[in-house]
Amino acid sequence: MDRVILHQRRPADQVGLVAVPATREDHPVETRRTPLHAEHEALGAQFTDFAGWRMPLRYDSELAEHHAVRTSAGLFDLTHMGEIVLSGPEAGRALDHALVGHASAIGVGRARYTMITQADGGVLDDLIVYRTGEQEYLVVANASNAAVVFQALVERAEGFDTSVVDKSVDYALLAVQGPASTAILAGLTTTDLASVKYYASYPTEVAGRPALLARTGYTGEDGFELFLDPADAPAVWQALLEAGREHDLRPAGLGCRDTLRLEAGMPLYGNELSAARTPYHANLGRVVKLDKPEDFVGREALAAVAEQGAEAKLVGLRTTSRRAPRHGYPVLDASGSVVGEVTSGALSPTLGYSVAMAYVPPALAEPGTALAVDIRGRQEPVEVVALPFYKRNS
């Protein structure tokens, strides 16, 4: 069932109308499965439990799936993501107050990457906001934070003439990512994909099924995300696999998704982003619109960080070996003192050497700075490099 919250701006002598959301029971929740679970099983997927969902980790080889996305295309099931719809005359203003970005300035049919923060500026989640109508917005949250984001939006929309609806159960989400993604999709939709701009969305049909098609993704490659009715997801999945056969399309799991986003320098909540860090720590101060008309949660704290600077900065690290720094490994300076911590790291399948992201003091964040990472008791030399590690030719 959708969780619905209705808000109306209240006259002084009236009480606003509020519909209470569905409550959670205190007993454990069964792991959820996407509408494509049978398709994944038929393809021999290995599964992992992630944020309450049973998701495909890999189908055959994470390395092969990674290379497919970089050289041809990969097909992902992302139905575990959360979808929240705000609609009404003041939906844009409500989001301007709730988020660090200027949602009301997004054009209809366009999308924007943004964040929702605490009052102290710490990041609750990073989001993509799609403006799907003059008075309607689709907010896509990370699976692990969907409930937190929904509740925060409910609270922050109080006093605005808008409704907040958790529509996660009404969407399946597929992603086709890679240089062949346009060619694969072209035969399945009447939409002119060449005219679909980056961070834009179009209501259309894919394989004869209604879809919201968006040119967005999380791999560093060109690609599309398809918001579908869950009942239509298996047919569209099969149609994409068939259309992608001649283009070497591979189904791809969460394993390669992580190495792809790491190479592209894209942050992951729980690693690079957390309630303990602000967007400025992660070099994402550009998403914070301090000059927008609407006051917003976290504005004062974020303005202070913008003026004074963050005490740590996210950097890229490159090793000279194949030994990969991992999440939580200490970063050391030239004297051997611990000066930071790795947030993500892996052997880069595309580049052939190990890369990582880490937080270090600003004085040590300049590209070319020599540092080290303690990898299971051994100091591995690393060099600070500019992010992203990989950027597609386009």
Side-chain angles (χ1 to χ4, degrees), residues 16 44 65 73 102 127 235 259 378 382:
E65 292 166 22
H102 195 180
L127 314 163
T259 51
R378 175 178 169 181
V382 296

Side-chain angles (χ1 to χ4, degrees), residues 174 184-191 204-211 213 226 228 232-243:
L174 309 186
I184 292 166
L185 265 176
L188 298 177
T189 181
T190 57
T191 298
T204 186
E205 287 190 354
V206 176
R209 304 317 203 271
L213 181 151
L226 309 174
L228 303 158
D232 293 332
V236 176
W237 176 271
Q238 288 294 339
L240 288 166
L241 287 179
E242 181 60 31

Side-chain angles (χ1 to χ4, degrees), residues 7-336:
H7 292 299
Q8 292 180 326
R9 189 167 294 281
R10 295 175 294 196
D13 59 345
Q14 295 182 15
V15 177
L17 178 65
V18 178
V20 180
T23 58
R24 282 186 168 183
E25 301 294 338
D26 290 332
H27 55 72
V29 178
E30 184 179 355
T31 301
R32 301 171 66 181
R33 299 184 176 190
T34 81
L36 294 167
H37 192 269
E39 310 295 329
H40 302 320
E41 285 187 320
L43 290 167
Q46 298 179 43
F47 292 92
T48 185
D49 290 340
F50 180 77
W53 291 82
R54 186 163 173 77
M55 298 297 297
L57 179 65
R58 68 180 69 85
Y59 297 86
D60 179 16
S61 158
E62 289 181 23
L63 187 62
E65 292 166 22
H66 180 109
H67 285 309
V69 175
R70 289 281 182 252
T71 61
S72 52
L75 176 60
F76 297 85
D77 178 6
L78 306 177
T79 305
H80 61 312
M81 302 292 280
E83 289 86 14
I84 302 161
V85 173
L86 279 81
S87 58
E90 294 187 315
R93 288 193 59 205
L95 285 172
D96 284 347
H97 171 66
L99 311 179
V100 302
H102 195 180
S104 63
I106 302 172
V108 175
R110 301 307 301 267
R112 191 165 295 171
Y113 176 77
T114 187
M115 295 184 185
I116 183 168
T117 67
Q118 303 176 139
D120 65 1
V123 178
L124 286 175
D125 201 13
D126 60 334
L127 314 163
I128 295 182
V129 176
Y130 300 85
R131 189 168 188 174
T132 51
E134 285 292 344
Q135 297 184 6
E136 184 177 87
Y137 297 80
L138 172 64
V139 178
V140 179
N142 285 299
S144 57
N145 294 330
V148 171
V149 172
F150 173 70
Q151 191 57 47
L153 289 176
V154 166
E155 294 169 358
R156 297 177 189 190
E158 178 68 32
F160 291 92
D161 189 0
T162 184
S163 68
V164 184
V165 186
D166 184 348
K167 300 284 286 185
S168 300
V169 298
D170 295 329
Y171 284 103
L173 178 58
L174 309 186
V176 186
Q177 299 282 296
S181 57
T182 299
I184 292 166
L185 265 176
L188 298 177
T189 181
T190 57
T191 298
D192 178 12
L193 298 179
S195 68
V196 178
K197 298 176 181 178
Y198 190 49
Y199 267 67
S201 64
Y202 291 75
T204 186
E205 287 190 354
V206 176
R209 304 317 203 271
L212 179 67
L213 181 151
R215 199 162 208 152
T216 47
Y218 190 57
T219 63
E221 295 297 334
D222 188 21
F224 301 88
E225 295 183 318
L226 309 174
F227 295 86
L228 303 158
D229 186 306
D232 293 332
V236 176
W237 176 271
Q238 288 294 339
L240 288 166
L241 287 179
E242 181 60 31
R245 199 179 305 278
E246 64 179 289
H247 298 281
D248 298 321
L249 170 76
R250 280 180 176 262
L254 295 185
C256 78
R257 187 169 165 83
D258 192 50
T259 51
L260 289 161
R261 69 92 194 167
L262 173 60
E263 288 182 345
M266 294 178 169
L268 175 67
Y269 195 89
N271 290 40
E272 287 71 44
L273 303 175
S274 73
R277 305 283 191 187
T278 73
Y280 293 100
H281 288 78
N283 303 318
L284 291 168
R286 66 181 183 277
V287 307
V288 181
K289 304 305 179 184
L290 294 172
D291 58 348
K292 63 180 174 177
E294 194 76 41
D295 192 18
F296 64 93
V297 178
R299 183 178 203 158
E300 184 177 350
L302 290 168
V305 177
E307 181 178 355
Q308 300 165 11
E311 76 281 2
K313 184 177 180 181
L314 186 67
V315 299
L317 301 177
R318 172 180 174 170
T319 72
T320 56
S321 76
R322 295 173 65 86
R323 299 187 76 208
R326 300 293 183 183
H327 175 77
Y329 284 9
V331 179
L332 315 174
D333 65 11
S335 68

